[in-house]
C-alpha cells in the first residue's frame, strides 16, 4: 500500500476526478478528508471508501472561502493527527462565450474557485504538512491551462495560473520536504464536460481528438495523482503531468 499511514485532503471530492482519487488514495491506505460544497456527493464518496474498508470523513468547504479552507485543514489534522497530502482539485467551468460576453461575476467566480482555491489550499495546508515532516501537494490544472481554446477565457487563465502557482510553491517549500506538482487532464468523463457532450456537432470531434482517440476516465487521472502524491515521485516537484491521451489534436 503506497499511502499507508498518510492523511490526505481531497477538494472537489464529491464527484469525478476528486471522487476517483479519494477512493484510490484510501485503497492505498490513506485516511481521506473528502471535501466539497456538494454535501450529498461528498458523503457518497465517504460511503464508497468505508464500504471498501477505508477511513474517510466528509468536510463541507468552499475552496474560495478562506475561513472554510482554514477549518478544513484544522478538521483533517484533528481527525487524523496530521496531514501529508493535499489534492487541490475543485474546479468549475463557465459559459462558452467570448470574453467580451463573459460577465465579470462569472470571471471572478472561476478565478476564485480554480485559482484562489488552490492558493488557499496551499496557504493553510503548508504549515500542517511542515508539522508532519513534509508531504505532497497536487494541483489540478488542465490541458486548457497549457493550450488556448476559444470561449474559455477565465478557465484558460485560471488553469494556466495553477501551473505557475505550482512551480512557485515547489520553490518556496522544497526545503521543508514538501513537493508540489500539477496534473493537466485532457477530456475526462465527468460532470464538468456535460455541456460539450450535448453539442451534437462538436462532441464527435472533441471526444476523439487526441492521440488515443478517446476520452479519459476519472480513474486514469486518479492513478497519475496517486503517483505524484506517493513517495515514488520523491524527486519530482514543480512539474505538470499531462493526463490527456496525447493532447487535443485539432
Ligand atoms: P466535476 O464537476 O465532476 O467535479 C468537480 C467537483 O468540484 C464537484 O463535486 C463540485 O461540487 C466541486 N466544487 C465546485 N466548486 C467548488 C467549490 N467552490 N468548493 C469546493 N468544491 C467545489 O468535474 P471534474 O472533471 O472531476 O473536475 C475536477 C477538476 O478537474 C476541476 O478542477 C476541473 O477543472 C479539472 N479538469 C477536468 C477536466 C475534464 O475533462 N473533466 C479536464 C481538465 C481539468
Amino acid at each position: 500500500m503506497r499511502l499507508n499511514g498518510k492523511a490526505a485532503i481531497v477538494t472537489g471530492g464529491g464527484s469525478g476526478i476528486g471522487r476517483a482519487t479519494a477512493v484510490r488514495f484510501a485503497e492505498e491506505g490513506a485516511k481521506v478528508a473528502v471535501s466539497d460544497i456538494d454535501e450529498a456527493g461528498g458523503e457518497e464518496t465517504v460511503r464508497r471508501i468505508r464500504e471498501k474498508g477505508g477511513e474517510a470523513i466528509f468536510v463541507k468547504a468552499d475552496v474560495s472561502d478562506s475561513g472554510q479552507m482554514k477549518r478544513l485543514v484544522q478538521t483533517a489534522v484533528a481527525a487524523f493527527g496530521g496531514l501529508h497530502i493535499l489534492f487541490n482539485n475543485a474546479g468549475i467551468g463557465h459559459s462558452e462565450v467570448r470574453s467580451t460576453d463573459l460577465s465579470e461575476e462569472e470571471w471572478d467566480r472561476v478565478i476564485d474557485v480554480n485559482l484562489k482555491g488552490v492558493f488557499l489550499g496551499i496557504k493553510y495546508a503548508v504549515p500542517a504538512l511542515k508539522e508532519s515532516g513534509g508531504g505532497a501537494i497536487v494541483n489540478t490544472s488542465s490541458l486548457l491551462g497549457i493550450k488556448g481554446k476559444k470561449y474559455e477565457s477565465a478557465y484558460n487563465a485560471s488553469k494556466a495560473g495553477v501551473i505557475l502557482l505550482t512551480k512557485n510553491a515547489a520553490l518556496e517549500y522544497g526545503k521543508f520536504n514538501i513537493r508540489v506538482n500539477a496534473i493537466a487532464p485532457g477530456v475526462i468523463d465527468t460532470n464538468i464536460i456535460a455541456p460539450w457532450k450535448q453539442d451534437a456537432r462538436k462532441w464527435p470531434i472533441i471526444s476523439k481528438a487526441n492521440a488515443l482517440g478517446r476520452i479519459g476516465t476519472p480513474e486514469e487521472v486518479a492513478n497519475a495523482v496517486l503517483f505524484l502524491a506517493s513517495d515514488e515521485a520523491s524527486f519530482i516537484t514543480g512539474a505538470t503531468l499531462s493526463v490527456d491521451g496525447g493532447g487535443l489534436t485539432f
Side-chain angles (χ1 to χ4, degrees):
M1 299 237 273
R2 286 186 268 176
L3 302 182
N4 230 353
K6 307 278 190 196
I9 291 174
V10 176
T11 71
S15 172
I17 293 168
R19 171 177 286 165
T21 305
V23 168
R24 194 76 190 86
F25 279 180
E27 281 170 359
E28 293 292 334
K31 297 167 191 161
V32 187
V34 176
S35 187
D36 207 292
I37 45 171
D38 173 6
E39 209 162 332
E43 291 288 8
E44 171 59 18
T45 304
V46 167
R47 193 193 63 74
R48 291 186 195 194
I49 289 172
R50 290 185 183 153
E51 193 179 62
K52 293 182 173 187
E55 195 173 334
I57 55 167
F58 173 67
V59 186
K60 187 170 180 175
D62 181 333
V63 293
S64 69
D65 184 296
S66 187
Q68 293 181 37
M69 287 302 280
K70 189 173 180 182
R71 195 184 64 89
L72 166 60
V73 172
Q74 284 170 346
T75 307
V77 169
F80 303 144
L83 183 69
H84 310 95
I85 296 163
L86 168 65
F87 183 29
N88 267 323
N89 165 73
I92 54 172
H94 58 80
S95 314
E96 290 195 54
V97 293
R98 295 187 172 83
S99 348
T100 46
D101 297 323
L102 191 70
S103 69
E104 256 184 84
E105 289 71 29
E106 228 182 330
W107 168 274
D108 285 346
R109 187 64 189 152
V110 170
I111 300 295
D112 277 356
V113 174
N114 294 6
L115 184 54
K116 185 181 173 189
V118 172
F119 159 71
L120 291 174
I122 292 169
K123 181 176 173 64
Y124 292 116
V126 162
L129 295 170
K130 270 193 206 170
E131 279 277 305
S132 302
I137 298 175
V138 181
N139 300 323
T140 301
S141 176
S142 170
L143 174 59
L144 297 185
I146 301 167
K147 286 186 90 155
K149 187 171 180 293
K150 278 183 190 170
Y151 320 128
E152 296 283 359
S153 54
Y155 193 82
N156 272 155
S158 67
K159 293 299 187 178
V162 168
I163 291 177
L164 275 191
L165 185 55
T166 299
K167 287 191 189 295
N168 167 273
L171 288 167
E172 289 185 355
Y173 307 114
K175 62 173 177 286
F176 302 113
N177 192 32
I178 297 171
R179 295 180 301 100
V180 189
N181 292 292
I183 50 156
V187 184
I188 309 299
D189 198 4
T190 71
N191 292 336
I192 213 172
I193 63 159
W196 292 4
K197 274 187 166 174
Q198 280 155 19
D199 189 327
R201 197 173 57 82
K202 286 194 199 150
W203 181 243
I205 304 166
I206 292 176
S207 61
K208 294 190 180 66
N210 60 45
L212 298 181
R214 64 172 177 84
I215 63 170
T217 66
E219 289 73 23
E220 289 176 304
V221 181
N223 282 329
V225 181
L226 170 64
F227 167 67
L228 290 172
S230 77
D231 291 342
E232 288 169 20
S234 55
F235 202 52
I236 302 176
T237 194
T240 298
L241 178 58
S242 290
V243 189
D244 61 4
L248 286 178
T249 54
F250 64 86

